[in-house]
Amino acid sequence: MDHRRVRTPRTTRFLPASDPAAADEAARVLAAGGLVAFPTETVYGLGADAANPDAVAALYAAKGRPAFNPLIAHVADTAQAGRAGRLSLAARALAEAFWPGPLTLVTPYAGGPAVCDLARAGLDTVALRVPAHPVAHRIITAFGGAVVAPSANRSGHVSPTEAEHVRADLDGLIDLIVDAGPTSVGVESTIVDCAGDPPRLLRPGGVPRAAIERVLGHPLPSADASDAHRPAAPGRLASHYAPRAAVRLDVSSVRPGEALLTFHGARPPGAEHAALVLDLSPTGDLVEAAARLYGALRRLDGAGVPAIAVVPLPPEGLGEAIADRLGRAAAPRPEAAAGPAQD
Ligand code: AMP
Ligand code: MG
């Protein structure tokens, strides 16, 4: 089995943010599907083109992130945010008051390719932020699109507040580190869910609740994790991405009428009678498989089959994250439980 792209060493270059070409070079690497660590006012982020599922899958692989938690899309200004998400009046008031800055707003996704399914973990909402760090702003502006940027560390490690921390974790796994010295805020962004009314606090962070309440003119309730209809943290839902078709995992044979979701050319008995066969990666590349997962589930579901049979996938690398997503797709729904993904 070939998992080269999961471990493919990359040559990690270093550029000081004072280099006049740094922002343009970072934008060029992002546009080519590469991974760029850059400072935000909170911590160093690991940036990838939010519209490019291959780049987002490579980001998960570089972080060693165990599950596909949705990512925050970083944009240059409120106008760009307003094209990716549908900003309510409350969201606009908060954006006006706190952007650029350490505030993330969850809004209904406006559709289109700006933030791919994988980056949103298949949700119909999107988390948006306009960071205040001038280097982050220059890079995002030069790039022109939305940039997903979780903390630039290996999963389970402490978030990086200096370029050296990034190098210690990700040297040889990413393409470029833009160094602008230590970051200022060091605590993550506050996340407010503005997809419903009233807005709710999903994660406390750089902008205090009281400051948000002053702008809203009323109290900001915390998200209630028991509210199955409006999940506080999407990663906590057992059933997270839910195709209409039933999903049968780790099959050793295909039943009549089922569609087959396979990997690395595997054809279990009965495959010849499958309603449809999709191979997540004929070459056995788990990064490619991750990038294709949501699209494949949608296509199989769109074919109207009663059930999707899924072959076992290798557990290493992104295989764990794929298994996590497939497990949620197969789980009874809707239903709470399961632990949140770590980042
Ligand atoms: P970070 O790991 O700092 O990049 O932050 C990601 C956080 O944003 C995670 O806790 C996610 O659960 C949260 N998040 C991202 N997108 C959404 C969304 N659409 N709805 C709710 N929370 C989200
Ligand atoms: Mg982190």
Side-chain angles (χ1 to χ4, degrees), residues 116-246:
C116 67
D117 271 352
L118 185 58
R120 291 181 290 106
L123 297 170
D124 58 8
T125 53
V126 64
L128 295 162
R129 177 177 162 219
V130 179
H133 197 294
V135 174
H137 192 261
R138 278 205 293 278
I139 291 172
I140 295 164
T141 303
F143 174 62
V147 177
V148 288
S151 54
N153 52 276
R154 291 281 293 172
S155 196
H157 291 192
V158 176
S159 292
T161 53
E162 293 180 29
E164 259 320 307
H165 304 162
V166 181
R167 194 211 295 266
D169 258 27
L170 297 174
D171 193 16
L173 294 171
I174 66 176
D175 299 291
L176 180 63
I177 300 173
V178 179
D179 182 356
T183 61
S184 53
V185 177
V187 56
E188 292 152 305
S189 62
T190 303
I191 305 181
V192 176
D193 178 2
C194 292
D197 194 32
R200 303 177 312 156
L201 182 67
L202 295 186
R203 177 175 84 183
V207 177
R209 186 200 297 258
I212 293 170
E213 291 177 333
R214 272 198 296 279
V215 172
L216 292 176
H218 56 73
L220 176 69
S222 292
D224 178 355
S226 68
D227 182 347
H229 300 290
R230 296 189 49 208
R236 288 198 191 122
L237 280 182
S239 170
H240 188 174
Y241 180 89
R244 283 192 306 276

Side-chain angles (χ1 to χ4, degrees), residues 320-341:
E320 197 179 348
I322 295 168
D324 171 83
R325 299 303 315 119
L326 285 170
R328 291 173 201 278
R333 65 203 71 145
E335 187 179 292

